[in-house]
Amino acid sequence: MSAALPPLRLDHLLSHYGYCSRRESRDWLRAGRVTVNGAPAKSPSDKADPLAVLVDGAPVECPRGILALLHKPAGCVCSHDSREGPSVYDLLPAQWLRRNPPVTTVGRLDKDTTGVLLITDLGALVQRWTSPKHKEPKIYEVTVDADLRPELIPLFAAGTLVLEDEDKPCLPAKLEILGPRTARLELVEGRYHQVKRMFASQGCTVTRLHRSRFGEFELGGLAPGQWRLVPVEGVPHLESVLHQ
Ligand code: URA
């Protein structure tokens, strides 16, 4: 049995979890779509534990917050702005975007980058996983347009590489050369276009970039464009940042 959640007014609850606006909640209640502990809800101002509420007969979706892992395909951007083209948000349930706050990506991947992208409505998780202080490891599979020199390994590991237009060196990064033009790179920070800029600083253009891991999260069998929910209760260390 899950621990109770703080009670919310039903109009807040329905809009917080993305079902309808606060204004529309009265109609939802009148239509009998919402029950509390099995009884039809009466007033939008009544408070209830989200775990005791059913909407259209189903429990409230992800009452403790959404955390999902998306296999980002190439060709979509990590932006809410539709002018920037197809977006990763088009691949997610519309109700997640109506939640308040809506879901967002944990950091961003470039349009042509594929792989692990975390999606959440828990701001504390975004802060934790994008903070340079936290040093969450990320692994990238990289293909470049020129043969890789072994000297790149100690260079990236040294923590002395300064990228163009920056003055702070990149933190040490682990490079494993897998083939003449393929490598695996582990970073603990996430600067703008960091992988591409690190290789560009050494005269190589990245032609394919895939993130195979973010912290403890890997794709498993997820196909490009598919997502799966991660139970927030089950992830070690997450409890400390939930409900702050
Ligand atoms: N580094 C990049 O250059 N691009 C990405 O999408 C992620 C990391």
Side-chain angles (χ1 to χ4, degrees):
M1 179 81 181
S2 305
L5 289 173
L8 289 176
R9 280 175 60 116
L10 289 170
D11 53 357
H12 285 179
L13 185 150
L14 290 173
S15 90
H16 176 71
Y17 291 110
Y19 290 96
C20 63
S21 68
R22 286 170 61 188
R23 184 189 290 254
E24 288 162 343
S25 66
R26 189 170 293 281
D27 294 337
W28 280 53
L29 266 55
R30 274 208 196 107
R33 299 179 70 174
V34 183
T35 62
V36 180
N37 292 319
K42 290 200 182 79
S43 164
S45 62
D46 287 348
K47 287 188 168 183
D49 175 347
L51 299 178
V53 173
L54 298 183
V55 183
D56 292 333
V60 168
E61 186 186 25
C62 300
R64 293 174 197 278
I66 287 178
L67 176 61
L69 192 160
L70 172 71
H71 185 165
K72 181 192 173 296
C76 55
V77 294
C78 296
S79 166
H80 286 285
D81 184 346
S82 56
R83 288 170 302 183
E84 292 184 33
S87 157
V88 292
Y89 297 108
D90 302 336
L91 302 168
L92 305 173
Q95 189 173 334
W96 291 8
L97 297 163
R98 292 195 302 265
R99 285 170 76 117
N100 187 11
V103 291
T104 185
T105 61
V106 177
R108 289 180 173 211
L109 291 174
D110 297 336
K111 187 171 184 177
D112 54 352
T113 303
T114 58
V116 177
L117 185 65
L118 295 177
I119 309 282
T120 188
D121 61 348
L122 295 162
L125 291 187
V126 179
Q127 266 171 24
R128 180 189 171 102
W129 282 330
T130 55
S131 155
K133 270 194 241 135
H134 183 65
K135 300 194 173 57
E136 194 69 26
K138 284 148 290 235
I139 297 182
Y140 294 91
E141 315 292 332
V142 189
T143 306
V144 292
D145 68 343
D147 288 356
L148 290 161
R149 290 171 285 115
E151 304 86 82
L152 293 190
I153 298 172
L155 176 70
F156 286 180
T160 53
L161 181 70
V162 178
L163 298 175
E164 202 172 297
D165 299 327
E166 292 193 9
D167 36 49
K168 242 175 120 188
C170 295
L171 289 173
K174 216 185 288 169
L175 180 69
E176 203 185 328
I177 297 183
L178 304 174
R181 297 184 177 197
T182 55
R184 181 170 295 134
L185 182 65
E186 179 171 339
L187 299 182
V188 291
E189 51 185 350
R191 301 185 191 193
Y192 182 66
H193 296 324
Q194 183 165 351
V195 176
K196 292 176 184 167
R197 291 165 71 214
M198 286 174 74
F199 282 96
S201 75
Q202 302 307 309
C204 302
T205 300
V206 171
T207 55
R208 180 180 174 267
L209 186 56
H210 174 80
R211 183 156 71 187
S212 56
R213 191 180 181 110
F214 185 109
E216 65 194 84
F217 301 102
E218 289 180 302
L219 291 171
L222 271 189
Q226 287 188 336
W227 53 264
R228 69 162 177 271
L229 281 171
V230 178
V232 287
E233 298 86 349
V235 182
H237 80 243
L238 287 197
E239 272 304 323
S240 61
V241 292
L242 295 177
H243 313 303
Q244 279 176 348

